[in-house]
Amino acid sequence: MRSLSLAACASVLVLAVDASAQAPKYPIAGDSAMSSVQVIAPARRVFQEDLDTVRGQYALSNGWRLKVDSAANGIRATIDNQRPIYLVALSKDKFVSPDGNVDMVFNRGDYGEDMVMSYVPDPRLAQVIVVRATLAQR
């Protein structure tokens, strides 16, 4: 009987650890250690009017709030109260972080107010999360 109760406790502990591992992780801000080969296109010069079209607050599909501001040759994206992530412009609608872990494509949808963000939550895993957003406020 004692071994049955120990087995039950162990299985509950394993489930609790697994459940905590499933919590959504924010995108990594900054350089991350990973061993891979990356080919990144050079940053494109964007005009202020291009940056103005993507600037604003977005309601992400997973419940997060994204604030996008213009920055030198790119944008600064802040998710909830996390550290800002700097993204460089690849085109007037596509921005990517210098380490390649986060990219955002703006001006999607019928009216150009939707955005898609994809990010790598943990560079040790082969996983990319895609989150969709709608412009909430300019």
Side-chain angles (χ1 to χ4, degrees), residues 59-74:
L60 300 178
S61 60
N62 62 357
W64 295 346
R65 302 285 296 172
L66 171 69
K67 181 179 179 194
V68 177
D69 294 311
S70 58
N73 206 30

Side-chain angles (χ1 to χ4, degrees), residues 83-116:
R83 286 187 356 204
I85 303 168
Y86 175 73
L87 295 105
V88 295
L90 295 183
S91 71
K92 68 178 189 172
D93 296 330
K94 183 167 181 151
F95 299 84
V96 66
S97 64
D99 62 3
N101 285 336
V102 180
D103 75 48
M104 297 181 184
V105 181
F106 293 88
N107 297 326
R108 301 192 42 132
D110 295 337
Y111 302 105
E113 295 192 356
D114 294 339
M115 178 273 263
V116 176

